[in-house]
Amino acid sequence: MRKLRIAVVGGSLGGLTAAALLRDAGHEIDVYERTPVPLTGFGAGIVVQPELVRYLLERTETTLEQISVPSSAMRYFDATRGTLIGEIEAEWRYTSYNALYRRLLAAFGIERYHLGEALVGIDQIGDQVELRFARGRVVHCDLAVCADGGASTARKRLLGIVPRYAGYITWRGLAGRGDLSSDTWDFFDDRFTYGLLDDGHVIAYPIPVVGEDGEMAGRYINFQWYWNLPEGPELDELMTDREGIRRPVSVHAAGVQERFIDEMQTRARRQLAPEPFVELMVMAAEPFVTVIEDTDTPKMALGRICLLGDAAVTGRPHAAAGGAKAAANAWALAEALEENDGDVEEALRSWEPAQLEQGRALLDKVAHMAGLLQTGGPFLPGDPACRFGLPR
Ligand code: FAD
């Protein structure tokens, strides 16, 4: 196959999976990542889907046991009354952003992973793509893979599309074994727990802690508490950090204004009936907040430029499948380039329809789930329409 010069913009789960696969196929790859230091994902938990871990399991020595922890059940609580609605068997495994990122970065290597490079401009000029970065670097390549996330600069530049706020935010946090009483630890460990409310929901599940070397060093309980909050001054105030900067997506742990953490904990004591939920919210170190967004796109392939993962379609997180979609886009891209013998435009044309279809099916699925989860249900135990994963 013709060897291509490929620039990948965004060095997170989608970008790194694409970069490693295309490098393995013999192409010359450089990754350009906006953040100046390696990503940490702020300890976020991720439910394992086959597509998400496929590269690590098939192309590296990594085993599922090294990057994830299991659970045996899924429990559904009425979080206002404190009653158990139902429990089903559910053999999911949970990993963390850090566990995946560290191993994907190790697999790709750091030689051609360029930190501190924020894309600001992109155009196709003849049979080359020109990418312009904020610090002055200009890159020319045969194919640009834009995996620059939900607020994608490439998508905005090329299609004028910006993310759409879904009307709610999520509080997120982690607690270690030493932070919680043993009863509360046992309540959440080994299971995925839903706490259902009339105006939102809580989820909690165990995730691995990984050390600097990428090895597992224990577990946390990870939670997300989704609050309905219309667009307007209240949202703007919450999303403004301690430096006074209005953050578009997340206010990270050290940046959340103290009074909002107090408000979240006070609301937990007032609104959440099962005591372990309250203890988790109050004891979690450094809670942080993220807005929930949806974005659709009419196109993922534009000549020699493609949008991949959240940079194309961003879905609400309820199906735990955004990372899996990004990885699936990357696998399909590598296959399309191989099938089309490196003919970039033809490969992207053949790649695009199935990716768009899958993205839209995921948007429909998560909108359906959100309609139940954020308005008081009924969110029924084991409902196949609400099962985690990409729509099949
Ligand atoms: P991202 O991970 O968003 O990465 C984009 C990268 O591009 C970042 O590194 C960013 O710094 C970089 N970048 C941005 N702009 C530029 C620029 N101009 N120039 C250069 N670089 C740039 N998914 C799952 O599969 N399972 C789950 O359980 C799950 N849970 C989630 C829970 C929550 C609360 C949220 C919000 C999301 C969850 N997701 C989950 C979704 C998942 O995190 C995303 O779908 C996934 O990270 C998308 O990967 P990506 O590589 O496309 O984009």
Side-chain angles (χ1 to χ4, degrees):
M1 187 181 19
R2 196 157 73 85
K3 184 172 167 181
L4 300 168
R5 189 151 182 242
I6 301 176
V8 175
V9 182
S12 176
L13 304 179
L16 273 174
T17 304
L21 281 167
L22 296 171
R23 184 268 322 267
D24 295 353
H27 303 295
E28 198 183 312
I29 315 294
D30 285 277
V31 177
Y32 301 95
E33 166 54 46
R34 179 177 60 185
T35 61
V37 291
L39 300 159
T40 63
F42 310 103
I46 293 194
V47 183
V48 171
Q49 303 295 336
E51 301 83 355
L52 185 66
V53 292
R54 183 175 167 197
Y55 186 87
L56 292 177
L57 300 190
E58 288 186 14
R59 301 272 176 101
T60 76
E61 309 265 281
T62 304
T63 64
L64 207 46
E65 290 68 30
Q66 287 174 311
I67 51 168
S68 63
V69 295
S71 75
S72 55
M74 202 166 222
R75 293 205 296 184
Y76 300 67
F77 283 89
D78 176 329
T80 311
R81 291 182 189 79
T83 49
L84 181 66
I85 299 168
E87 175 161 354
I88 56 167
E89 273 183 36
E91 290 184 357
W92 293 107
R93 294 189 74 92
Y94 312 101
T95 183
S96 66
Y97 185 92
N98 292 351
L100 295 173
Y101 172 76
R102 280 176 204 273
R103 283 178 184 262
L104 283 170
L105 183 58
F108 178 69
I110 52 169
E111 296 75 23
R112 304 191 75 157
Y113 187 84
H114 310 285
L115 287 164
E117 295 290 357
L119 180 81
V120 288
I122 182 165
D123 290 292
Q124 182 167 336
I125 302 167
D127 61 359
Q128 289 282 286
V129 181
E130 180 178 280
L131 300 105
R132 297 176 293 280
F133 293 88
R135 292 203 304 210
R137 189 194 283 250
V138 177
V139 168
H140 293 96
C141 59
D142 302 310
L143 164 64
V145 177
C146 298
D148 52 341
S152 171
T153 300
R155 182 178 58 207
K156 186 168 177 215
R157 284 283 310 221
L158 298 165
L159 296 165
I161 297 172
V162 292
R164 195 176 52 228
Y165 178 56
Y168 53 105
I169 56 100
T170 181
W171 279 98
R172 306 162 74 178
L174 298 169
R177 197 181 274 272
D179 300 323
L180 300 173
S181 64
S182 55
D183 284 352
T184 294
W185 183 268
D186 293 344
F187 180 91
F188 290 114
D189 199 18
D190 190 40
R191 49 183 70 95
F192 189 101
T193 306
Y194 278 106
L196 304 172
L197 296 156
D198 287 343
D199 58 352
H201 71 288
V202 180
I203 58 172
Y205 54 99
I207 66 165
V209 181
V210 293
E212 290 287 321
D213 55 1
E215 293 302 321
M216 207 187 293
R219 295 172 187 221
Y220 288 126
I221 302 297
N222 164 66
F223 79 81
Q224 284 150 44
W225 184 5
Y226 293 85
W227 287 11
N228 294 330
L229 185 58
E231 212 152 7
E234 231 186 295
L235 175 68
D236 289 339
E237 216 170 309
L238 174 63
M239 296 305 294
T240 300
D241 69 13
R242 291 180 198 184
E243 307 293 317
I245 298 169
R246 167 49 161 110
R247 297 289 170 186
V249 181
S250 283
V251 186
H252 299 128
V256 181
Q257 297 174 54
E258 205 69 62
R259 67 201 162 95
F260 288 120
I261 297 176
D262 292 345
E263 185 188 325
M264 186 271 285
Q265 294 174 345
T266 303
R267 184 159 157 180
R269 291 190 186 93
R270 206 180 57 231
Q271 198 181 3
L272 303 178
E275 189 47 42
F277 282 85
V278 181
E279 191 181 329
L280 183 58
M281 303 296 160
V282 171
M283 298 310 292
E286 307 188 322
F288 64 102
V289 69
T290 301
V291 298
I292 302 301
E293 296 176 325
D294 290 307
T295 318
D296 197 358
T297 177
K299 294 206 72 55
M300 288 173 69
L302 300 106
R304 291 176 165 270
I305 304 170
C306 69
L307 302 174
L308 181 146
D310 277 15
V313 173
T314 316
R316 310 172 196 201
H318 312 306
K325 177 171 69 60
N329 291 161
W331 278 89
L333 178 63
E335 280 158 23
L337 280 171
E338 191 172 343
E339 278 161 18
N340 289 279
D341 198 25
D343 179 335
V344 172
E345 300 208 18
E346 199 46 47
L348 292 188
R349 264 195 296 275
S350 69
W351 169 79
E352 182 184 48
Q355 312 313 307
L356 279 175
E357 196 183 325
Q358 186 172 63
R360 294 205 178 119
L362 180 61
L363 283 180
D364 289 346
K365 178 175 177 173
V366 293
H368 169 73
M369 292 176 77
L372 302 174
L373 286 165
Q374 289 304 107
T375 59
F379 191 76
L380 302 173
D383 179 355
C386 298
R387 188 182 155 78
F388 291 149
L390 287 171
R392 303 293 165 192

